[in-house]
């Protein structure tokens, strides 16, 4: 499934000032129900019940004295919002989908930045978009692709998915065992209690026979209304299915209520609330972006599988395969930094190290190196079986053992090399 670059992503935005947070009143635990005062939101009346405090440029900040996932749970328990959570399994389409929906409705992708009380350290960043609804209000879509360390990212994703009114799950080309592993933490979370979301819609981006069976097992174990859709190949397909599911839930949970008072999506009234460049445009369900066909799965399935398996290792934040000379990314899995940043800076670092090696008379082989930063490790290494390509991996230092990851990487390398020698073989099972 192909989406255009998200112009609102942090990789394309100038960094915010390091002092922006200082002028924000410190908030701990529950945010006050106060207007943001910036006058630019589409739902000013609803802003009193929004999370955090607006600081401008589509950013809200929440200062917390506990773990970000716990703070988010407290916010949802206090404010009782209705929202849609968009989650990725074996793909990275959710934030691009939000970007497309925002562009279609001429609204910006916004961010909720969670900071540590006192120091102001950024703990997590969540992206969301408010879609215009038929009753003049908005329906919020959160991406669960949270920008945070591995543990925080996973726990906040479960909170977003578990507390939403509707969960949309974008599913990549995953084998049965990978789906089972991905759904296991959700099943445990549901059985522990506190999982409010009772409707999950799984949207496969690739044809496969394993998804319905795995969803049936999950549904039987949890009693959650979890169903797969037909394969989606266009963003418009995702939007259409999302609108149908959301509107059906609204009518089901609010029987007898006038439809005009419900926050329904995709109706003529909702489209008319969007200020369009051409007022004469016929009102219709907002299509997230122009029709774009799904990319061919044959471009390098073993490499995609390799990156996905790597991204599932404990402590891995983001992983990117890129062209050494140009820095162009050819594959990515995980959160941020995104593929463009990892490819560009990975290429620059390799060029510097290779230049130093040549100057010292030590040859010009592509380095295989690890770099330790304050809170992260970086791994840069040539990609096995793919001449001219390299791998750039970001690891969360407090939650990873570097030697163990390097050992697991060698196991993945063997599977990737085997697949490279047998180009028609199925994806490697590392």
């Amino acid at each position: 499934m192909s989406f255009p670059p998200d112009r609102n992503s942090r990789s394309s935005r100038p960094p915010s000032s390091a002092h922006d947070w200082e002028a924000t009143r410190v908030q701990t635990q529950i945010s006050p129900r106060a207007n943001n005062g910036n006058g630019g939101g589409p739902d000013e009346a609803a802003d009193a019940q929004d999370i955090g405090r607006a600081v401008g440029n589509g950013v809200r900040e929440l200062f917390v004295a506990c773990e970000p996932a716990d703070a988010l749970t407290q916010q949802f328990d206090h404010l009782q919002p209705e929202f849609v959570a968009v989650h990725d399994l074996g793909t990275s389409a959710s934030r691009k989908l939000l970007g497309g929906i925002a562009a279609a409705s001429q609204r910006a992708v916004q961010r909720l930045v969670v900071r540590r009380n006192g120091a102001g350290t950024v703990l997590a960043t969540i992206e969301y978009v408010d879609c215009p609804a038929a009753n003049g209000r908005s329906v919020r879509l959160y991406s669960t692709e949270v920008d945070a360390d591995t543990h925080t990212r996973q726990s906040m994703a479960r909170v977003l998915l578990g507390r939403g009114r509707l969960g949309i799950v974008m599913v990549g080309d995953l084998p049965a065992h990978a789906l089972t592993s991905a759904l296991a933490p959700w099943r445990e979370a549901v059985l522990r209690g506190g999982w409010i979301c009772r409707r999950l819609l799984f949207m496969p981006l690739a044809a496969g026979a394993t998804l319905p069976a795995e969803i049936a097992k999950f549904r039987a174990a949890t009693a959650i209304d979890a169903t797969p859709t037909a394969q989606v190949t266009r963003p418009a397909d995702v939007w259409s299915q999302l609108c149908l599911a959301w509107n059906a839930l609204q009518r089901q949970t609010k029987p007898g209520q006038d439809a005009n008072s419900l926050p329904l999506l995709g109706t003529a009234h909702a489209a008319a609330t969007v200020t369009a460049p051409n007022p004469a445009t016929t009102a219709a369900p907002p299509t997230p972006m122009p029709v774009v066909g799904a990319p061919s799965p044959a471009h390098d399935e073993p490499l995609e599988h390799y990156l996905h398996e790597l991204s599932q290792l404990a402590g891995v934040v983001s992983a990117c395969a890129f062209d050494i000379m140009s820095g162009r990314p050819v594959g990515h899995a995980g959160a941020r930094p995104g593929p463009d940043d990892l490819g560009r800076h990975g290429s620059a670092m390799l060029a510097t190290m290779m230049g130093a090696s040549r100057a010292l008379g030590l040859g010009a082989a592509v380095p295989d190196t690890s770099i330790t930063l304050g809170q992260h490790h970086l791994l840069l290494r040539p990609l096995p079986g793919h001449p001219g390509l390299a791998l750039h991996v970001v690891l969360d230092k407090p939650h990873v053992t570097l030697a163990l990851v390097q050992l697991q990487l060698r196991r993945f390398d063997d599977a990737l090399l085997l697949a490279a020698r047998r180009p028609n073989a199925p994806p490697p099972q590392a």
Side-chain angles (χ1 to χ4, degrees):
M1 190 170 188
S2 178
F3 296 93
D6 180 3
R7 288 173 292 180
N8 294 293
S9 67
R10 181 162 58 176
S11 61
S12 60
R13 289 191 299 264
S16 60
S17 168
H19 301 291
D20 284 350
W21 63 270
E22 293 177 353
T24 304
R25 193 175 80 179
V26 172
Q27 301 172 59
T28 59
Q29 310 296 324
I30 303 299
S31 63
R33 298 189 178 193
N35 290 328
N36 62 9
N38 64 359
D43 291 333
E44 294 183 6
D47 188 70
Q49 295 188 353
D50 211 339
I51 297 175
R53 186 173 295 277
V55 295
N57 296 322
V59 178
R60 301 186 72 89
E61 289 185 340
L62 176 67
F63 284 76
V64 302
C66 57
E67 289 300 311
D70 295 335
L72 195 60
T73 300
Q74 293 167 4
Q75 293 288 324
F76 289 154
D77 287 346
H78 177 59
L79 300 174
Q80 299 292 314
E82 290 190 347
F83 62 88
V84 179
V86 186
H87 186 74
D88 295 314
L89 282 182
T91 183
S92 56
S94 64
R95 286 205 297 215
K96 295 177 183 178
L97 176 68
L98 261 61
I101 292 173
S105 60
Q106 296 192 352
R107 295 190 175 191
V109 174
Q110 301 179 71
R111 292 181 294 148
L112 173 63
V113 180
V114 182
R115 295 183 181 272
R116 177 68 68 194
N117 181 14
T121 306
V122 175
L123 302 177
T125 302
I126 306 170
E127 292 192 350
Y128 63 91
V129 62
D130 290 323
C131 302
N135 62 352
R137 302 292 292 276
S138 293
V139 176
R140 179 162 296 181
L141 272 63
Y142 282 107
S143 168
T144 67
E145 192 178 342
V146 179
D147 186 9
D149 63 68
T150 303
H151 172 73
T152 301
R153 182 172 72 247
Q154 293 174 348
S155 58
M156 294 189 79
R158 281 196 289 272
V159 171
L160 287 166
L161 202 60
R163 296 301 175 114
R165 177 56 62 99
L166 171 66
I168 301 297
V169 185
M170 315 287 286
V171 186
D173 188 10
L174 295 177
H177 74 273
L179 282 170
T180 301
S181 299
L183 294 175
W186 299 6
R187 182 176 62 251
E188 294 169 3
V190 173
L191 297 178
R192 281 197 304 267
W195 185 284
I196 295 175
C197 181
R198 310 310 297 178
R199 182 75 171 97
L200 292 175
L201 201 60
F202 290 78
M203 299 187 184
L205 305 187
T210 60
L211 183 60
E214 293 300 321
I215 294 175
K217 294 177 187 176
F218 178 78
R219 185 170 57 245
T222 61
I224 284 180
D225 184 9
T227 55
T229 69
Q231 179 184 351
V232 291
T233 58
R234 305 179 304 163
D237 296 338
V238 178
W239 176 251
S240 176
Q241 295 279 6
L242 187 157
C243 290
L244 288 173
W246 173 263
N247 294 345
L249 270 174
Q250 289 296 313
R251 295 186 177 100
Q252 177 185 347
T253 57
K254 300 168 184 175
Q257 190 167 333
D258 183 6
N260 292 328
S261 66
L262 297 177
L264 303 181
L265 291 173
T267 66
H269 180 74
T273 63
V274 180
T275 303
N278 180 8
T281 300
T282 302
T287 301
M289 61 199 69
V291 173
V292 180
S296 170
H299 58 286
D300 200 333
E301 288 186 1
L303 177 57
E304 286 190 353
H305 186 85
Y306 175 91
L307 291 170
H308 171 71
E309 291 293 311
L310 175 57
S311 71
Q312 300 305 301
L313 295 179
V316 174
V317 177
S318 186
C320 175
F322 63 94
D323 181 89
I324 295 174
M325 297 301 295
S326 67
R328 179 180 62 86
V330 296
H332 175 259
R336 294 185 177 180
D340 292 334
D341 285 339
L342 288 179
R344 181 173 66 256
H345 294 295
S347 175
M349 286 189 285
L350 285 181
T352 299
M353 287 185 282
M354 292 166 69
S357 178
R358 284 193 296 268
L360 294 170
L362 303 177
V366 179
D368 184 340
T369 185
S370 64
I371 301 170
T372 299
L373 306 175
Q375 292 295 315
H376 297 87
H377 297 297
L378 303 181
L379 295 181
L380 280 166
R381 59 204 303 271
L383 198 61
H386 291 69
L389 299 185
L391 180 69
H392 192 180
V393 185
V394 180
L395 305 173
D396 184 28
K397 184 179 174 183
H399 296 91
V400 75
T401 302
L402 185 58
L404 179 59
V405 171
Q406 291 172 323
L407 180 63
Q408 291 169 315
L409 261 176
R410 285 195 287 272
R411 180 164 55 88
F412 293 163
D413 289 349
D414 293 339
L416 186 61
L417 280 170
L418 180 61
R421 296 191 188 104
R422 300 164 55 202
N424 294 323
Q429 305 299 319

